[in-house]
Amino acid sequence: MKLQEFKQIDKKWKEYALAGCVIVLFYVVLTHLGLIGSGIAGFFKVLKPIVLGFVFAYIVNPIAVFFNKTIFKGVKKEKAAWILSIILTVIVVLLIITVLVASLIPQVVDSVQTLADNYLVYLARLRDFIANIPVISSTGLSKILDDFLADGGLAVKIGDFLKANSKVVIEKTTSFGGAAMNGVIGGIIAIYFLVAKKNIQGAFAHFFSLALSAMDFERLSMLMTKFNAIFSKYIVCELIDSAIVMILNYIFMLVCGMPNAIFVSVVIGVTNLAPTFGPIVGAAMGAFILLLVKPTSVLAFLIFTVVLQTLDGYVIKPKLFGDALNVPGVIILMSIIVFGKLMGVTGMLLSIPFAAIIVYIYSEIFMQWLELKRELKQYKKDLAKEEQSKE
């Protein structure tokens, strides 16, 4: 066997072996998504305050940059202007949180107080409403539900459930307190990230400029700029989209005279941040609240929610996200499932920008690389033919 033929066989064997390893690795990852997800979750649990700090800093950074370029543009010292921009950003964010909390807490307290004062009345309305549903009233299910919702029956069942699961309730309460503490620590870390932003960027840029060639460093810089544009636009568009949905829902509930309009609308707006499943959760929570207070409004509320989400999915979001996040629906769905399995709610929230990044890498980098490779291969063939013709 000639040396050239042996090299070609050796090269093909390496390619087949590499392809086989990739397939096996892909299969292992797919069959162990839960284990990988648990590992990622455990890693992020330890670093949660730092990760939250980075996320908070990334989200509010555009606000600080805006203040730096407008309000504090005339400040001569660049560092002083940036510090003042951060201080103003923190004040604005705290004011927004204070206004939201101040407007929501009275609504929540009033809703709980009203529910407690009219508990038996709401139960009677709910029983009558369920009893008048033909499918339920014509079956034995009506008797079961009636016993479950009987005066005192529901309260006793809730009390028994809390007693039986008191440990779980305590753990969840403690977990909520821990999450709140992580949020506070994350907010403090975010301020440090913002203050040291240019130093951090400079350190990373210096490291990669030394570790990579000039061309690779330029490519990495362009890639990071594109990723930053995708995430920035996604965050802004999601916030605007949720605000639009919240305002439209509030106007509808206000016009129809539905109770708890502010509280339900905020719930709808917040859950709308989570793609695909978020609106379903928001609609279910809003319907449950209305079912206890005003059951006759539930059907109209659900119909309006379906219309609003359809309008949001096919008109509002495409207009907001534009070409930067032009990702096919099937890719988004696959991304939600995979990243949701790996990273839980966080993965679901980031699934759309992750999908946009994957599509960008595939179309703008991988496909161009394949085209360049094919053109190079064709060029070598043409060059070989040209040399043979000369001989």
Side-chain angles (χ1 to χ4, degrees):
M1 183 180 292
K2 295 181 180 180
L3 180 61
Q4 187 67 24
E5 293 178 353
F6 179 80
K7 287 183 177 179
Q8 289 180 353
I9 293 174
D10 185 58
K11 183 179 179 182
K12 289 183 178 179
W13 181 86
K14 289 180 180 178
E15 291 177 352
Y16 292 147
L18 180 61
C21 291
V22 171
I23 293 172
V24 171
L25 180 63
F26 184 68
Y27 173 77
V28 171
V29 169
L30 287 180
T31 53
H32 294 80
L33 280 178
L35 183 62
I36 296 172
S38 300
I40 295 174
F43 177 75
F44 277 106
K45 188 175 181 180
V46 176
L47 300 178
K48 197 168 186 178
I50 299 175
V51 174
L52 284 175
F54 175 79
V55 172
F56 292 161
Y58 187 84
I59 291 174
V60 302
N61 178 65
I63 304 175
V65 171
F66 173 76
F67 290 150
N68 189 45
K69 291 182 177 179
T70 54
I71 298 176
F72 302 107
K73 185 179 180 181
V75 179
K76 293 182 179 180
K77 291 186 177 180
E78 186 178 348
K79 188 174 182 180
W82 181 242
I83 296 295
L84 291 172
S85 302
I86 294 173
I87 293 173
L88 183 57
T89 301
V90 172
I91 292 172
V92 169
V93 171
L94 290 176
L95 282 174
I96 293 173
I97 294 174
T98 303
V99 170
L100 286 175
V101 171
S103 60
L104 280 177
I105 287 181
Q107 288 283 329
V108 175
V109 172
D110 182 63
S111 299
V112 173
Q113 186 63 45
T114 304
L115 180 62
D117 293 340
N118 301 279
Y119 173 72
L120 296 179
V121 176
Y122 292 153
L123 275 183
R125 288 181 184 175
L126 185 59
R127 291 167 62 189
D128 293 339
F129 176 78
I130 293 175
N132 291 326
I133 299 175
V135 177
I136 295 178
S137 60
S138 61
T139 62
L141 187 61
S142 177
K143 180 66 171 60
I144 297 173
L145 289 173
D146 190 64
D147 293 339
F148 181 77
L149 297 173
D151 296 348
L154 182 59
V156 171
K157 289 176 176 62
I158 292 174
D160 293 341
F161 174 81
L162 292 177
K163 288 178 182 178
N165 299 273
S166 57
K167 186 177 180 181
V168 176
V169 173
I170 294 172
E171 288 177 356
K172 293 297 180 183
T173 305
T174 306
S175 176
F176 177 78
M181 182 57 67
N182 283 334
V184 173
I185 297 173
I188 297 172
I189 293 175
I191 297 174
Y192 281 95
F193 272 131
L194 288 173
V195 172
K197 172 187 170 183
K198 291 191 176 180
N199 292 333
I200 294 172
Q201 288 178 335
F204 275 102
H206 182 65
F207 170 78
F208 284 110
S209 65
L210 295 175
L212 303 174
S213 64
M215 184 177 292
D216 290 338
F217 177 72
E218 185 67 24
R219 289 174 179 170
L220 180 63
S221 300
M222 293 175 62
L223 197 63
M224 290 299 103
T225 302
K226 180 63 179 179
F227 289 174
N228 180 62
I230 289 174
F231 275 102
S232 298
K233 187 168 185 179
Y234 169 74
I235 291 170
V236 173
C237 291
E238 276 290 350
L239 292 175
I240 295 174
D241 176 65
S242 294
I244 292 172
V245 170
M246 180 176 64
I247 292 170
L248 291 176
N249 188 84
Y250 174 72
I251 293 173
F252 170 77
M253 294 185 69
L254 197 65
V255 170
C256 295
M258 296 181 182
N260 300 318
I262 295 179
F263 179 62
V264 173
S265 298
V266 171
V267 170
I268 293 294
V270 172
T271 55
N272 195 71
L273 291 170
T276 305
F277 304 108
I280 298 174
V281 175
M285 292 174 66
F288 178 75
I289 294 171
L290 290 175
L291 189 64
L292 293 175
V293 182
K294 194 176 180 181
T296 54
S297 301
V298 173
L299 184 60
F301 172 78
L302 291 176
I303 292 174
F304 175 77
T305 301
V306 171
V307 173
L308 179 59
Q309 290 301 325
T310 303
L311 180 68
D312 181 48
Y314 289 96
V315 179
I316 300 175
K317 278 188 177 178
K319 291 290 183 183
L320 283 174
F321 287 99
D323 296 334
L325 297 178
N326 187 19
V327 184
V330 64
I331 301 296
I332 291 178
L333 182 60
M334 291 170 61
S335 180
I336 290 171
I337 294 172
V338 173
F339 289 108
K341 185 74 173 176
L342 289 173
M343 301 169 62
V345 177
T346 305
M348 292 177 64
L349 289 173
L350 297 176
S351 58
I352 293 179
F354 281 170
I357 289 173
I358 291 170
V359 170
Y360 172 77
I361 292 175
Y362 173 78
S363 60
E364 300 296 330
I365 298 177
F366 182 70
M367 291 302 293
Q368 288 187 10
W369 175 75
L370 287 179
E371 290 177 2
L372 183 62
K373 186 178 179 182
R374 186 179 63 179
E375 291 176 1
L376 184 61
K377 188 176 181 180
Q378 187 62 40
Y379 172 75
K380 289 181 178 179
K381 286 183 179 179
D382 295 340
L383 188 62
K385 287 181 181 179
E386 186 177 344
E387 290 178 353
Q388 287 179 358
S389 61
K390 287 180 180 180
E391 294 177 356

